[in-house]
Structure formats: structure tokens, C-alpha cells
Amino acid sequence: MGSSDSKLNFRKAVIQLTTKTQPVEATDDAFWDQFWADTTTTVQDVFALVPAAEIRAVREESPSNLATLCYKAVEKLVQGAESGCPSEKEKLVILNCTRILTRILPYIFEDQDWRGFFWSTVPGAGRAGADEMDDDEGARPLAESLLLAIADLLFCPDFTVHSHKRGPDSVESMHAIDSCEYIWEAGVGFAQSPPLNYIHDLNRTELLRLLLTCFSEAMYLPSSPDNSVLNPWVTFFCSTENRHALPLFTSLLNVVCAYDPVGYGIPYNHLLFSDYREQLVEQAVQILIVTLEHDGGGPHRPPSPSSIEEQEVCRTPHHKFSAPPNTLVPVQATGPENLFVNYLSRIHREEDFDFVLKGLARLLTNPLTQTYLPNSTKKIQFHQELLVLFWKLCDFNKKFLFFVLKSSDVLDILVPILYYLNDARADQSRVGLMHIGVFILLLLSGERNFGVRLNKPYSVHVPMDIPVFTGTHADLLIVVFHKIITTGHQRLQPLFDCLLTIIVNVSPYLKSLSMVAANKLLHLLEAFSTTWFLFSTAQNHHLVFFLLEAFNNIIQYQFDGNCNLVYAIIRKRNVFHQLANLPSDPVSIQKALQRKKKTPDVISRTSSQETVSMEGSHPAVPAEPGTLKATLVAMPGIDKLTEKSQVSEDGTMVSVPKKDPSLCADQSAAAAGTSDTESNSGRDNEDVFYTEAEMERRRLSSASSASGWAPSQDWVLSWKCKLPLQTIMRLLQVLVPQVEKICIDKGLTDESEILKFLQHGTLVGLLPVPHPILIRKYQANAGTAMWFRTYMWGVVYLRNVDPPIWYDTDVRLFEIQRM
């Protein structure tokens, strides 16, 4: 009964607040205490009992009451952080204030006039206990007081961490606590795993939810290419002003990477017990990706970890991190340094890397785990946040990237990514997931070791909706990419360049492709080299260049083990002859375009021999009607996403300068390995920031040829002469007569005999001089930074539905659309 009474009282207080036209004095504790003192409401109750319309009404009609409510709630949190919440009653007050602020903050952010409110100081009301402190400390902006209180409360003994009290009479002073001794979980830099306490996990989750809400002001600002605009909440929280920055960063990272959703291996375990740790892990990974968005020091990257390996961070003997806050790089002009980014970049011990990588791989693989009992293991839902975190780790800590690629552990990340890409290919609401997966593979493919690791045989056999094959992880990658290109939805077309760039990057290292993968690559070439496809947009011919470049790399550098691919090339030799004799006269161009109108499908899907899919797999399906999705800004073109590097003879990479447009065609044709993929027109040439609605309008207008582009004879000739066909034509010239002779002489119809012949054949001295290997390495730019910001906040918005923190508020960074 008490619970329903307290809800009723709480609701009465809300109604009083919305109906009072006169400002309520801040000193009227009897009134304000109704909101937090005697109520036992859950966060869901608060969202139900404080409707959006009423918050907006108070904001418009009695703004001073809303201001006082916010101020009083923050004041209570500050007092709790000072006292350490010794009593249960104080703990309840803290939780109630946390829930009320989580409910109200989005409505403060959506109104431009209110956005500065938390960054102002409240006149005549300093921090609690301010009289003992300096004046300037007392006049902290409300936002800073709130953030510091949350940080303190996240390390509050008996509330969010285990008490280290020696006896019943000893008291732990909040000011004297060394929070490095209270890190939440063993892992990076901390050896002791505190006992699990679900109450602590629930309290941490509530505080982290409020922290995430504080950071979400970014959602209410429109997307802009100016990446130097820092989020003031994140900037302050991750600065030296926060004395808990290091232990909190370590706690968040360790809680995420140590989490094992399968638990004790008991089937249906998750149906019997609530997993409070999962809620905490979800909030922790979201806080991590949001705080790691800004490298506050601008262009500065932290020093290499090797220079600081001797330095340890906290004085406690079990703490092995790298650099104490006072050894940080001086503050840059663009804003204070982001300590979370700094700490992430300084992790350097092999056992720490191993802990992080194994933890992320375990969680990413979790939704793939097949058991004989349906629904018997818990499946996590936060794989998108984990992929963003993995991306941040590779981006900010190059030593981590090299560790990932040092062994075949990278394949434990690759397989789940390919699973997600294949599973999401038909679902337009998951287009962001497709992009982040492809971005990670593009980043990894820029490193030689990734290509080498792909040669490991693939034996796991995760149930995927792809043809059954026997081969390596490289075969898996090619088969999944082929499936995405031929059966994915239309909005994935901008990713084709990236998918093929990844294949080109790894191609010089692929020792032996299976027949299934070889046929898939040839099918893609066949589809992309039809005249109607080549002539229908200004960029489509790039796809043919990428595939030819991949074939050339394999023939020149891995001919010996690739008889399957050589055989597939010989069988499909007419495709290469047609390319070499591509018509360029106006009549042929018009004929091809007429054919396009009759064949609206992007790629012929029938000529690919589809075989039986893997056992236990489910077909990729479109989004359920009514699914919500967040829009994304457009992605920059592949020439903006990557920079070219040439692999020199000793294996080192040398950056290739951007092509000089005045370079004559025959010069570039001579470098047979280089593709004509530098764009001359279209989307690749702009740093674009379009909403999806704008992108759709542009697509329609270009389809109606309002864009003014039309294929011409000169245009076709400008790239046709650069097609890198010399190596393949020479291979066909040498091998086709030999294969035909064997077939006639021995009356062969069995391809295994032909493959045996090709396996032992050689083209040494017969092919053109090998071209230098060209790798396109991912490079960050303003366009990708903006894409990541909108994607990340869109994920955070859609994943926080219980309670629906931002639902129905006026977010401006993206649009929420219903499928």
C-alpha cells in the first residue's frame, strides 16, 4: 500500500508544481521534499508520473519553478556526495533526485533559451558547505556541481562500491577516499575483483543513466561539419577537474570487458535470475563511446605509450596503468585534454590488451552462439556500441591495433562482424550497423597482417545465410561481401566501393581462394561490367577497376596457390574480352541505357549459382513495420575515406601523393596496378552533410538526370584506356591454348584434372613486371567524425527505451523515422 501512496503523493506534488503560477521559494523545503524525501518511485514511475506536456508547461509558464526544482535536486546530490549517504533515507533521496533530473534534462536541452541554464551559477546559492570554501568554488556552474557530485557518488561506499571500513565505528570520509582502490572490476590496471552486489550495480546504473542524459545535449544541436565544437558536459567531466576520471574510466572498461552473459553455463539461467550486471554494462559501454568521441586536445594525439611505460598511475601496488594525471600533455588551445582518450591511448601491457580483446570478442560472439536448446542462452543486444568501442580502441591506441593483428585473435572479431553484416543486409533500419562493420574492416585491411591472418582455415561454421563452402576466412569474407552486394537493399550501394577496397587491400596476401569464392568474384565482375551498369552513373566503372586490381594482385603475388581463381578467369574469359572491346560510340551508349530501363535491378542475381545455405541459418529479413530508426548523414566517398600507400620491397608503407590531374592517360595506364578510382564527379568529390531525406531527393533528381551528367564517348574513352587488363590478357594468352590442348588431347571434361594442371603450371617470366602493391588505408576526416557522432547518438537514443529518455523530444542531430 505504501508504494501506491507515495506515487499518489508524488503525482500531487507534480500537479502542484504545474498549477502554481507564483514562484515557490527555494527555502520552502516542505514543498520541494515531496519530490524526493518520502517517495519510493522507480525511474519508470517517474517517467509515467511526470508527463512531457507538464514539463514543457512548467518550462513556459513558471520557469522559475523549473529552475528551482533542478537546482534543489542538484543540491541534494551535492549534499549526498559530501556526506557519503550514510542512511538508507539519504540513499533514497539521491536516487529520486537522479531519476527526476534524468526525466527533466532533455526538455531543458530541447529549448535553446534554456540550454545555458546549467552553465550559469545560481545567484546567492553556492554549493552546500560553500561557506567553508573559497568563493569561486561556491560559484560553480550548476552543470559542474552536478557532474562532480555524480562522479563522487559513483565511488560512494555502501552505495555504489563496497566499504573498506575496518570496524563498525570507523567512518570513510568522502574527501579522503582514494577511488583507485574502489575500481568496480578487475582487469586493466586493477587485480582484485570485488564481490558482486546487485544493489550497487542498480545504483551505478541509475547514476550512469543520468550522466548519459547530461552528455546528450549533443542530440539537440543540428549536425555540422565543424568538428571543433566540443560537448561542454563531456569536456568538463573528462578533464582534470574530475578527480575520479581514471578509476571511473578503468571501472567502465573493466565492467564491460569482464562481463560474461552466459554466466555459469546453466541453460535458461537468464530466465530465472535478473541480470543487473547487463544493465550496468549497457550504460557503461554507452558512457565510454560518448566520452571517447572528442579528443579535446584537437589535432594532438597522445605520445606513444613506450615513452611512458615506466610511469604508474595510482599509488596502490595492485594498480598497473601508465601515467598519472599530472604527467599529462599541456592543455591545447582547443580545450582541455580528454583524460578518457588519454588513458585509452596509454594502455600498453600485453595482458591488458588480451583482457580487452578477449572480452570484446566474447561479447560480440554471444548472439552467434548456437545451442541445442532454443533460447537457452542469454543474447546481448549492445553489439553496435561494442563495435564503436572497438573502433575507438583501434583509432586511439595503435599498439592495441597491432596487438589485435599480431595473432589470429583478430578473426574472433572478424567472424561476428561478418555475421552482423550478413544478417542486417536486408534491413534498412540497420544501415548504420552495416557502415560501422565495414568501416572496421576497412581500417583493419590497411594492415598487411590482416590479409595474412585471413588465410587461416574457417572451421567454426557460425550459421549464416550463405552458401556452404570449405576454405579460409578470406573465402568467408568474399562470400559474405558478394551476398551483401547482390541481395542487400538499395541503400547499401554507397558501401560497394568500401567492400571492394577491402578485397583489394587483402588480395596480395590471399594464398588460396576456394572455388566458391573465386566464382563469386567473377560473378561480381560480370555484373559490374555490363554496359548498362557501367554507363548508368559516373562512378560505376570504379568497381570494375577495383576487381581487376584484386585479380592482378593475386595473379602477380599469389599465383601458385590460386588455381581455382585462374580456372574461373579462364572460364569467364569472354568478360575480359568484352571489357577490352567496350563500345564507346554514342549509339552503343544509348542502347545500353535503353537496356537499363528494362532491367531496373542493380545486379543480375540469377547468374550466380546459389547453393544450399548453411544448416541452422535464417534468411536476412527486412525490418518489421513500425521499427524506429535514426537517420544518418551521408558518408564521404572512398577517396576521402582512404589515402593510398605503396608497399615497398622491405614491406614498409610509403604514402602515395594525390594524383596530379594533368597526368596523361598513358602514364597512368603504365602503372597497371593503380586504379582510376579518383573520382571526377559525383558524391565522392564533396564533404557531404545531408540528411537522409536530402540524400533521397538528390538520388531521385540525379535519376531524372536533372544532375546534368550523361555518359559520352569522351568520358568512356577517358577511363577505358586505363583498364588494367594487361596481366590478365597475358595470362589468358598463355594458358587458354594450353588448357584447350589438354582437353582435346586427353578428352578431358573433368575440371579436377585441369585444376591439377594449373596448380603445377607457372607464369614466371611470362607476365608483365609486377606492379607495386597499393593499399588504401582508412583516414579520419570531418565527414567520418560527423557520421560517427550521428550514428552513435542514434544508437544511444534507440537503445534507451526503458525508460524512454529522449522519446518525443525535439532532437535535431538526426530524425527518428518509423519503417
Side-chain angles (χ1 to χ4, degrees):
M1 184 64 203
S3 163
S4 58
D5 273 357
S6 71
K7 282 185 199 174
L8 191 62
N9 293 338
F10 182 81
R11 180 66 192 133
K12 280 181 185 165
V14 173
I15 292 167
Q16 278 182 294
L17 186 72
T18 50
T19 52
K20 279 189 189 291
T21 48
Q22 294 305 309
V24 183
E25 289 300 320
T27 50
D28 184 355
D29 286 340
F31 176 76
W32 297 112
D33 282 352
Q34 299 176 95
F35 290 97
W36 38 72
D38 307 312
T39 56
T40 47
T41 47
T42 64
V43 68
Q44 286 78 11
D45 291 337
V46 170
F47 272 70
L49 298 170
V50 188
E54 293 181 17
I55 303 173
R56 289 189 176 114
V58 177
R59 188 184 69 195
E60 304 309 322
E61 288 153 32
S62 42
S64 67
N65 286 346
L66 182 61
T68 308
L69 180 67
C70 292
Y71 163 68
K72 295 293 283 186
V74 173
E75 185 183 52
K76 288 290 174 194
L77 292 183
V78 171
Q79 286 167 359
E82 302 258 332
S83 69
C85 316
S87 70
E88 287 307 309
K89 186 167 182 183
E90 285 172 272
K91 292 184 173 76
L92 186 63
V93 167
I94 291 300
L95 291 172
N96 285 331
C97 290
T98 300
R99 292 160 189 162
I100 286 170
L101 286 167
T102 303
R103 179 60 173 145
I104 290 173
L105 271 167
Y107 298 91
I108 300 280
F109 294 151
E110 73 173 2
D111 187 320
Q112 202 173 342
D113 298 334
W114 272 85
R115 228 169 274 148
F117 167 70
F118 269 84
W119 293 97
S120 60
T121 51
V122 180
R127 277 177 60 159
D131 29 294
E132 298 108 53
M133 303 183 206
D134 301 336
D135 286 345
D136 60 342
E137 181 67 17
R140 267 196 186 286
L142 210 51
E144 293 185 6
S145 300
L146 173 58
L147 291 171
L148 292 178
I150 295 171
D152 281 338
L153 288 164
L154 286 167
F155 292 97
C156 181
D158 284 331
F159 182 55
T160 49
V161 291
H162 276 271
S163 173
H164 292 190
K165 278 195 293 201
R166 295 288 175 263
D169 301 328
S170 62
V171 176
E172 290 169 291
S173 154
M174 287 294 284
H175 290 294
I177 278 179
D178 178 359
S179 43
C180 286
E181 294 178 11
Y182 291 84
I183 287 169
W184 300 349
E185 185 57 82
V188 175
F190 195 68
Q192 298 158 353
S193 191
L196 274 178
N197 181 320
Y198 81 94
I199 299 285
H200 293 173
D201 277 0
L202 284 173
N203 294 343
R204 291 164 179 170
T205 304
E206 298 249 24
L207 287 163
L208 290 180
R209 189 185 292 123
L210 172 57
L211 190 58
L212 191 64
T213 310
C214 291
F215 294 159
S216 70
E217 185 182 343
M219 286 193 203
Y220 297 90
L221 304 172
S223 58
S224 85
D226 180 12
N227 205 38
S228 63
V229 180
L230 298 179
N231 181 332
W233 296 84
V234 172
T235 303
F236 179 81
F237 191 79
C238 297
S239 73
T240 47
E241 293 269 0
N242 179 3
R243 71 186 180 101
H244 304 292
L246 174 66
L248 184 57
F249 169 75
T250 315
S251 295
L252 295 170
L253 186 63
N254 291 355
V255 156
V256 172
C257 296
Y259 178 56
D260 184 0
V262 176
Y264 306 102
I266 304 164
Y268 302 105
N269 202 5
H270 64 291
L271 302 180
L272 305 177
F273 310 104
S274 273
D275 185 355
Y276 298 107
R277 185 49 60 118
E278 184 184 19
Q279 298 172 30
L280 175 63
V281 172
E282 287 203 18
Q283 295 292 338
V285 72
Q286 289 176 5
I287 292 285
L288 276 173
I289 62 175
V290 167
T291 48
L292 292 168
E293 196 217 343
H294 280 300
D295 182 2
H300 146 80
R301 272 276 191 275
S304 76
S306 55
S307 64
I308 43 182
E309 280 185 18
E310 305 314 312
Q311 303 165 341
E312 302 287 294
V313 120
C314 285
R315 279 114 352 255
T316 48
H318 50 255
H319 206 285
K320 294 275 191 289
F321 217 94
S322 325
N326 59 359
T327 63
L328 296 174
V329 185
V331 168
Q332 304 284 315
T334 46
E337 173 149 42
N338 181 325
L339 294 187
F340 277 33
V341 171
N342 185 284
Y343 297 144
L344 186 79
S345 70
R346 292 179 180 221
I347 300 172
H348 63 276
R349 299 189 320 159
E350 294 258 319
E351 56 265 48
D352 289 341
F353 286 155
D354 189 58
F355 165 74
V356 170
L357 180 59
K358 283 202 165 52
L360 292 178
R362 179 177 59 248
L363 290 170
L364 286 169
T365 309
N366 161 269
L368 289 57
T369 45
Q370 279 288 95
T371 54
Y372 292 104
L373 301 168
N375 303 321
S376 65
T377 54
K378 185 181 188 74
K379 286 197 173 12
I380 60 154
Q381 302 294 326
F382 51 93
H383 46 274
Q384 298 193 83
E385 295 96 313
L386 291 167
L387 290 174
V388 176
L389 180 59
F390 179 77
W391 172 270
K392 298 286 180 194
L393 278 153
C394 292
D395 191 27
F396 287 128
N397 192 323
K398 289 300 172 234
K399 284 201 162 189
F400 177 76
L401 176 60
F402 297 138
F403 177 85
V404 169
L405 294 164
K406 196 169 72 173
S407 73
S408 51
D409 287 351
V410 66
L411 303 176
D412 298 334
I413 299 286
L414 169 75
V415 171
I417 289 177
L418 291 176
Y419 171 86
Y420 295 129
L421 291 178
N422 188 57
D423 189 53
R425 68 180 192 269
D427 182 347
Q428 295 213 15
S429 73
R430 291 196 282 169
V431 71
L433 169 62
M434 298 292 296
H435 279 71
I436 180 77
V438 171
F439 279 164
I440 289 172
L441 298 184
L442 181 63
L443 179 76
L444 295 174
S445 74
E447 308 295 334
R448 174 186 177 275
N449 268 2
F450 182 65
V452 173
R453 299 285 161 239
L454 289 178
N455 291 307
K456 185 178 177 182
Y458 176 63
S459 54
V460 193
H461 295 305
V462 168
M464 284 194 220
D465 172 30
I466 53 171
V468 179
F469 68 92
T470 304
T472 65
H473 284 77
D475 296 311
L476 175 69
L477 179 129
I478 288 167
V479 168
V480 169
F481 283 11
H482 174 270
K483 195 89 175 173
I484 293 167
I485 291 170
T486 57
T487 66
H489 57 78
Q490 292 278 347
R491 301 246 328 277
L492 296 179
Q493 277 194 46
L495 281 177
F496 290 2
D497 282 349
C498 284
L499 294 170
L500 295 188
T501 298
I502 294 163
I503 292 175
V504 173
N505 281 348
V506 300
S507 60
Y509 313 110
L510 305 184
K511 293 188 183 304
S512 150
L513 287 183
S514 69
M515 189 59 89
V516 172
N519 284 334
K520 298 297 179 200
L521 287 177
L522 266 297
H523 174 241
L524 287 180
L525 183 72
E526 207 174 0
F528 290 149
S529 58
T530 57
T531 49
W532 71 261
F533 184 75
L534 280 174
F535 297 160
S536 57
T537 80
Q539 288 89 30
N540 281 354
H541 63 283
H542 297 171
L543 302 173
V544 170
F545 276 85
F546 282 132
L547 284 166
L548 292 176
E549 191 176 340
F551 294 149
N552 287 338
N553 283 340
I554 294 173
I555 293 165
Q556 290 281 19
Y557 292 100
Q558 300 291 349
F559 178 81
D560 289 352
N562 274 297
C563 56
N564 287 328
L565 181 69
V566 173
Y567 178 62
I569 288 173
I570 290 172
R571 280 188 56 211
K572 293 284 184 184
R573 58 191 178 275
N574 61 318
V575 177
F576 299 96
H577 291 302
Q578 281 166 8
L579 268 175
N581 300 311
L582 190 73
S584 57
D585 58 286
V587 176
S588 302
I589 291 174
Q590 279 315 307
K591 255 189 201 163
L593 294 177
Q594 289 302 317
R595 202 171 312 136
K596 182 193 173 188
K597 285 175 189 163
K598 291 176 199 155
T599 327
D601 209 356
V602 178
I603 287 171
S604 67
R605 294 165 192 210
T606 45
S607 56
S608 166
Q609 304 86 18
E610 280 305 333
T611 46
V612 182
S613 282
M614 288 186 179
E615 192 184 345
S617 66
H618 303 287
V621 290
E624 298 265 323
T627 305
L628 294 179
K629 76 178 184 80
T631 58
L632 291 161
V633 292
M635 182 188 75
I638 192 70
D639 54 344
K640 288 274 194 314
L641 274 179
T642 55
E643 60 182 6
K644 293 182 181 175
S645 296
Q646 211 162 288
V647 181
S648 54
E649 286 178 23
D650 62 356
T652 55
M653 297 251 191
V654 184
S655 200
V656 177
K658 289 272 186 197
K659 263 202 287 189
D660 179 358
S662 62
L663 201 66
C664 62
D666 45 54
Q667 252 182 300
S668 41
T674 61
S675 295
D676 171 41
T677 51
E678 296 291 331
S679 70
N680 306 318
S681 62
R683 72 180 173 83
D684 296 2
N685 218 20
E686 316 159 34
D687 256 327
V688 277
F689 299 95
Y690 302 132
T691 64
E692 296 197 355
E694 284 177 87
M695 284 158 66
E696 188 61 20
R697 278 198 296 276
R698 289 172 67 84
R699 202 173 67 76
L700 292 170
S701 69
S702 65
S704 65
S705 75
S707 58
W709 180 85
S712 67
Q713 184 167 5
D714 289 347
W715 171 76
V716 176
L717 292 172
S718 72
W719 54 261
K720 180 185 165 184
C721 65
K722 299 179 198 170
L723 283 167
L725 286 165
Q726 299 88 319
T727 301
I728 294 169
M729 288 309 196
R730 183 75 184 124
L731 173 142
L732 293 173
Q733 194 184 353
V734 172
L735 291 181
V736 170
Q738 294 181 14
V739 170
E740 283 176 342
K741 185 173 188 302
I742 291 173
C743 292
I744 293 163
D745 290 356
K746 297 190 176 176
L748 286 186
T749 52
D750 181 13
E751 63 183 35
S752 63
E753 289 293 324
I754 301 167
L755 287 171
K756 206 176 287 178
F757 163 72
L758 292 173
Q759 212 167 350
H760 298 106
T762 177
L763 292 178
V764 173
L766 297 172
L767 292 176
V769 178
H771 55 275
I773 295 172
L774 199 65
I775 303 292
R776 292 168 183 80
K777 289 171 81 88
Y778 170 84
Q779 60 169 3
N781 59 48
T784 52
M786 193 62 240
W787 186 91
F788 270 103
R789 185 180 313 155
T790 39
Y791 170 61
M792 175 187 74
W793 279 114
V795 169
V796 169
Y797 180 106
L798 292 170
R799 298 270 301 110
N800 284 276
V801 290
D802 183 27
I805 303 177
W806 301 281
Y807 184 72
D808 236 6
T809 60
D810 187 17
V811 294
R812 300 184 63 203
L813 184 63
F814 45 79
E815 294 169 36
I816 294 293
Q817 298 175 344
R818 204 173 279 281
M819 298 296 290

